[in-house]
Each structure stands twice: as structure tokens, then as C-alpha cells.
Amino acid sequence: MIKVAKFGGSSVADAGQFRKVRDIVRSDPERRFVVVSASGRRFPTDNKLTDLLLLVNAHIQYHVDCSSLLRDIEGRFVALAGELGLKYPISEKFEEFSALVASLSPEYIVSRGEWFTAQLMAEYLGKPFLDAADVIVFHHDGTIDMERTQTALRDAAQRLGGFVLPGFYGATVDGTIKLFERGGGDITGAILARCLDANLYENWTDVSGFLSADPRIVEGPRTIHRITFDEMRELSYMGASVLQEEAIFPVREVGIPIQIKNTNLPEKRGTIIRETAEDGVSEHLITGIAGRKDFTAIHVQRAHMSGEVGYIRRALGIFERYGVSVEHIPTGVDSFGVVVSASDVKDSVYSIVNDIQRDLKPDSINVVDKLALISVVGRNMSRRAGTSGRVFGALGEEGINIRMITQSSQEISIIMGVDNDDFERAINVIYDRFVENEMAILSEADRG
């Protein structure tokens, strides 16, 4: 088996975290390929090295002296190497970088956080260092040349047997450094796993997996141990995420599962993400609950609208004209609603309404703001008759008015609109009734 293990910034923040990474890697010989981010925060008020390097670049752009900032960054690397007893000439290499920093590209400067961190980790693990600039190949438009990248990574794996690879960056064929978006180390790990046909992509971070609800809203929510890619996509869309969405697609396309694990609590099961659920495994009714506040819904009604071809399409064209992304479109026989993020229409909502009135001539148009959306996600809900009704009933018993209802075409999520003021209470009601007391609900459904 091949496992690709990616460690985030919190997992490599200091010498103590380096030791945890070493113990994790050594505990499983299948973890031959390691991807690391730049060192993250050591304590809550600390700075991530990537943020400090971004600040270095800003100093250079505005012709402000950054020598003290560079010394601070060097000091962190030197202290880390010293505490771990490493021989890598970090001071010498960093001083070479500092001497040239004013002439380097912003992307090159920022990439050095990963580069230096991976150099130290490679020595500490006793593995070869592989520069991402030599194997992660970008097109000049910023997209990945997957064919060249796969060839380079497979050749390196065969030649080296295992290695430590810095995340977040790569290079074009002419050697120009290119960065992924923030959190790009996750993408690097996924690309590596795909190119090596790995059996598992492990993403080590500071949480023990995906939670079934936001811990800022629900106290001590259950960890989701198994989840499908579709379920995770639904929850991530509503803001529940511990993994960059761009890191999902490279491995999902070839059927490689992802496991989210906690570097600080490696004995915890974490969350395994697969294309489909495992056969023969007992599953929860509801996988997770997530939501966001501050949406606006524009409701349009017109008699006999259902017989008028292209009516909704023309309405959506108006939103497109204003550059507004549409979140949901709940429909009725002679009505429909368009749900958008309130921030997207804060300067244009009245213009949009006027255009709808002028171009579509509806019988009525109504704007509802301060709307929150809650998504209840579970691949097993469609197998249990009456799940939707029980969810709606539970909210009704608590006096929470549902302003909008829609369901995914795959029947793995129910999305409800409630007032912003009811948002946290609604999530707690659903969690308490359908997650905390799940066994009682399942027994009731079976009797029904």
C-alpha cells in the first residue's frame, strides 16, 4: 500500500510538533511520501510563516526595510533546527535567500516557508527532500499540467523510494515559481496521491475529523467517522470544512479515499471520505448539519407562469447581468424564488427588482432579507420515510418558522430557510432531536 501523508502548518509549527510527525510517520511504513506546509502558529497570538513572508513581500513592494522581519523568520527556523539537532545549514541558506530577496518574485518569496520547513523535516525524518518546483508542473495560466506532473512524480518515487515534498507551490517548465491558493498544501498532497495511485490520502491537521455541527453553535458535536464526497460537498458549501475543496477533486476522480486525522491525537479515528459508503457498515440517519446567515430571497409570482417558456431563464439573466451568483431557486406552479447572498446584492437589489418588474411584469414581487439557510445532510435520509416531516415538525414545535424548503436532486440534503434570529436555535433543535437522540428517532421511524 501507498499512503500519502500531508501535514498542515499547525502540525509543523515547532519542535514538539515535528516530533509528533516523526512518530506518526515511523508508526506506519506505508507512509513513505510526506507533504508539509510552512510552519504555522506556535500559540494563539503567533504568526504563520506564510503570513510573515507575505509581509516581507509587501515591505519590498512599498520600499520599506524588511531586514528585521527576515531576522525574525530566520530565528524561528534556526531555533527549530537547533532544538531538533539538525545539521542542515539553515542560517547560511536563509542568509543567501535574504541577500537576494529584493530581486525575487512575490511567489518565490512566499514559497520559501514550505521550502525551508520541508528541508528541515526531510532531515528529521531521514528522507530525501524533493523540491516541488521540479515535479509540480504548472501551465503559464496557473493550471496544473497533470501529465508532466505525474511523470515527474512517478520518476522521483521510483528513484527515491520515498521523500518529503513541500506543498503550496510548483513551477512552470521555465522554472517560474507558481503558488496554489491559500491552503494549497492540501492540493499538493491530493495531486501526489493521484499521481502515485495511492491507496489513501491522509490529511493531518489540528482537528480530529469532520464534525456533525459547528462547535461554536452546538456543544461537543459528534465526529463524523465516515462520509461520502457528495455529503462533504454539501456540508462544505454551507461552511463546514476542514479541507480545501480543490483538494478533493484530484483524488475523487480516481477513487482515492481521504482521511482527516489529528496530529495531536493520532489515536482518534478521524474522518474517512469516500466516493460511496462502505457496504455492511451501520450508518447514521443524519451525517451533519451546517448553515450560513445573511441571505436575501426575491420571490416572484405570475399567473400561468408555468405555461410561459423561458420565464425563469429571463429572470436569472437579470441576476447574471449584475454579476450575482444564485444560491437556490425554490419553485411553485406560478411562482419562484431566487436566493442570493445578501452581500452580493447590497448595492443592486433595488435595481434587480426594477429590472424584473420591467422585463417580466410579474403579478407580485417580494424581497425577504435576513434569511439563514440550514442544510441537513445524510445519504440515508431518503431510505427513512418521513424524515423531512419529522425535521419540519421539530422546528414547528419550537416555534421556528420555515421560510423556504428545497431538496438536493440526489436526495442527500434538505435545505431550509429560517430567520437569522432563529439560526442557532434551529440548528440546536435539529441536532438534539436527530443526532443526539438518533436511536430513538430510528426506532420511531421503524415502528411507523
Side-chain angles (χ1 to χ4, degrees):
M1 284 186 66
I2 295 176
K3 293 181 181 178
V4 169
K6 186 268 174 178
F7 293 90
S10 63
S11 300
V12 293
D14 57 29
Q17 295 300 93
F18 263 58
R19 294 186 182 100
K20 292 176 185 176
V21 170
R22 182 184 60 184
D23 291 344
I24 289 167
V25 172
R26 286 183 175 178
S27 70
D28 189 341
E30 294 168 355
R31 295 185 180 118
R32 291 182 286 131
F33 304 98
V34 175
V35 178
V36 296
S37 296
S39 293
R41 294 189 184 94
R42 298 160 293 180
F43 42 85
T45 57
D46 197 17
N47 293 302
K48 299 178 181 178
L49 284 181
T50 298
D51 291 336
L52 294 177
L53 288 164
L54 286 166
L55 190 56
V56 167
N57 181 64
H59 279 55
I60 293 170
Q61 297 299 313
Y62 289 98
H63 307 290
V64 177
D65 179 61
C66 61
S67 55
S68 63
L69 189 55
L70 287 167
R71 284 195 296 272
D72 289 343
I73 299 170
E74 179 185 1
R76 283 186 59 172
F77 281 126
V78 169
L80 181 58
E83 190 169 346
L84 296 173
L86 303 179
K87 297 179 180 179
Y88 180 78
I90 184 65
S91 291
E92 177 185 335
K93 295 294 185 181
F94 197 90
E95 286 171 9
E96 290 175 4
F97 163 67
S98 298
L100 298 172
V101 72
S103 63
L104 300 173
S105 72
E107 291 184 293
Y108 187 98
I109 292 170
V110 176
S111 73
R112 296 305 91 176
E114 273 75 11
W115 193 86
F116 281 114
T117 302
Q119 290 279 7
L120 298 181
M121 182 61 76
E123 181 185 344
Y124 192 58
L125 295 180
K127 292 180 177 291
F129 168 84
L130 180 64
D131 193 349
D134 296 331
V135 290
I136 305 295
V137 185
F138 278 85
H139 294 294
H140 285 281
D141 64 0
T143 59
I144 287 291
D145 185 334
M146 193 61 75
E147 184 176 349
R148 290 188 179 186
T149 296
Q150 179 170 288
T151 298
L153 284 169
R154 288 185 174 181
D155 287 347
Q158 186 174 16
R159 184 177 73 254
L160 302 174
F163 50 73
V164 174
L165 179 73
F168 191 32
Y169 74 92
T172 59
V173 291
D174 64 2
T176 302
I177 295 294
K178 289 279 189 180
L179 301 180
F180 291 107
E181 298 295 323
R182 288 298 295 266
D186 292 341
I187 305 173
T188 303
I191 290 171
L192 176 60
R194 176 187 178 132
C195 291
L196 298 186
D197 293 326
N199 302 91
L200 181 66
Y201 171 36
E202 295 181 330
N203 194 284
W204 292 84
T205 180
D206 56 0
V207 296
S208 297
F210 229 95
L211 297 176
S212 54
D214 189 336
R216 295 168 297 183
I217 298 174
V218 173
E219 184 177 353
R222 181 187 69 199
T223 298
I224 303 169
H225 294 304
R226 290 175 298 274
I227 189 171
T228 65
F229 284 113
D230 285 333
E231 289 175 303
M232 194 188 74
R233 180 76 175 91
E234 293 279 345
L235 291 169
S236 297
Y237 180 71
M238 284 295 183
S241 182
V242 295
L243 189 65
Q244 285 280 6
E245 289 187 32
E246 292 82 358
I248 297 171
F249 299 112
V251 290
R252 179 177 186 176
E253 290 175 344
V254 292
I256 298 171
I258 303 173
Q259 188 166 24
I260 309 297
K261 295 276 284 180
N262 191 338
T263 304
N264 303 311
L265 297 168
E267 70 280 0
K268 297 287 186 180
R269 289 172 59 187
T271 298
I272 190 80
I273 311 163
R274 299 179 182 274
E275 182 62 33
T276 58
E278 294 176 89
D279 293 334
V281 178
S282 177
E283 299 291 350
H284 299 292
L285 175 62
I286 289 176
T287 302
I289 308 161
R292 288 186 284 152
K293 289 183 176 182
D294 298 323
F295 289 91
T296 294
I298 299 175
H299 296 285
V300 177
Q301 184 171 10
R302 179 182 169 94
H304 308 297
M305 183 191 74
S306 58
E308 190 170 340
V309 176
Y311 193 84
I312 295 178
R313 176 187 58 77
R314 285 188 285 146
L316 295 178
I318 294 171
F319 287 88
E320 182 180 3
R321 192 159 66 231
Y322 284 90
V324 175
S325 177
V326 173
E327 304 280 348
H328 296 282
I329 312 172
T331 61
V333 175
D334 290 325
S335 66
F336 67 92
V338 178
V339 181
V340 298
S341 173
S343 61
D344 288 349
V345 296
K346 67 181 190 317
D347 298 322
S348 60
V349 63
Y350 295 112
S351 298
I352 291 172
V353 168
N354 286 335
D355 286 3
I356 292 173
Q357 289 174 328
R358 183 194 65 215
D359 297 350
L360 302 181
K361 297 179 173 54
D363 296 331
S364 66
I365 185 167
N366 182 39
V367 177
V368 177
D369 58 9
K370 297 182 179 179
L371 185 69
L373 297 184
I374 298 171
S375 182
V376 180
V377 177
R379 59 186 175 274
N380 294 305
M381 291 192 299
S382 62
R383 304 175 190 171
R384 294 280 180 174
T387 299
S388 299
R390 290 183 175 88
V391 172
F392 304 149
L395 294 176
E397 290 171 12
E398 296 297 324
I400 298 172
N401 185 32
I402 300 176
R403 310 293 299 273
M404 182 205 84
I405 299 169
T406 185
Q407 188 172 28
S408 72
S409 59
Q410 297 170 304
E411 298 186 47
I412 64 169
S413 71
I414 304 166
I415 298 171
M416 297 160 287
V418 301
D419 291 333
N420 270 353
D421 291 342
D422 289 330
F423 176 68
E424 288 85 359
R425 189 159 62 96
I427 288 179
N428 273 287
V429 167
I430 297 168
Y431 185 88
D432 289 344
R433 188 73 65 90
F434 295 91
V435 179
E436 191 71 23
N437 299 313
E438 181 180 48
M439 295 311 298
I441 294 296
L442 291 176
S443 297
E444 179 184 344
D446 288 336
R447 289 195 301 271

